[in-house]
Amino acid sequence: MMQHQLAVQARFRPETLERVLRVVRHRGFQICAMNMASAGNTDNINIELTIASLRPVELLFTQLSKLVDVACVEIQQPTSQQIRA
């Protein structure tokens, strides 16, 4: 499986993280690592995801970009590590 790192900037609301995680799961991606932090004094959060799947990461990128509270999604660093279950 290919691993990818995504950076998501979103508005901080209780349901935002739940929506992001639901989209990741519904699109067939596995979360390998996740980090979330507030973005200073603003009402925004930064979510860093390391995901794995055989599917193209662009499918997830497109769907996450469509979420209402998501301001920005970036594909940071594709890696070709093999993950075995």
Side-chain angles (χ1 to χ4, degrees):
M1 276 195 251
M2 289 285 293
Q3 271 193 347
H4 299 277
Q5 291 182 347
L6 298 177
V8 180
Q9 294 179 351
R11 187 171 13 169
F12 180 67
R13 300 184 52 136
E15 63 273 10
T16 302
L17 184 58
E18 292 175 24
R19 287 184 181 145
V20 168
L21 294 175
R22 184 177 56 227
V23 168
V24 170
R25 181 173 50 93
H26 281 270
R27 292 293 160 196
F29 289 82
Q30 174 185 353
I31 296 177
C32 301
M34 183 178 83
N35 187 25
M36 184 184 84
S38 62
N41 294 336
T42 64
D43 290 332
N44 294 329
I45 55 173
N46 295 324
I47 305 168
E48 295 177 7
L49 296 168
T50 302
I51 53 155
S53 181
L54 295 173
R55 306 182 84 194
V57 71
E58 290 78 16
L59 296 174
L60 181 59
F61 173 84
T62 302
Q63 294 303 313
L64 288 175
S65 299
K66 292 179 183 179
L67 292 176
V68 173
D69 292 323
V70 171
C72 178
V73 179
E74 292 180 16
I75 302 171
Q76 290 188 327
Q77 181 179 357
T79 60
S80 60
Q81 292 179 334
Q82 294 292 326
I83 299 175
R84 298 187 186 254

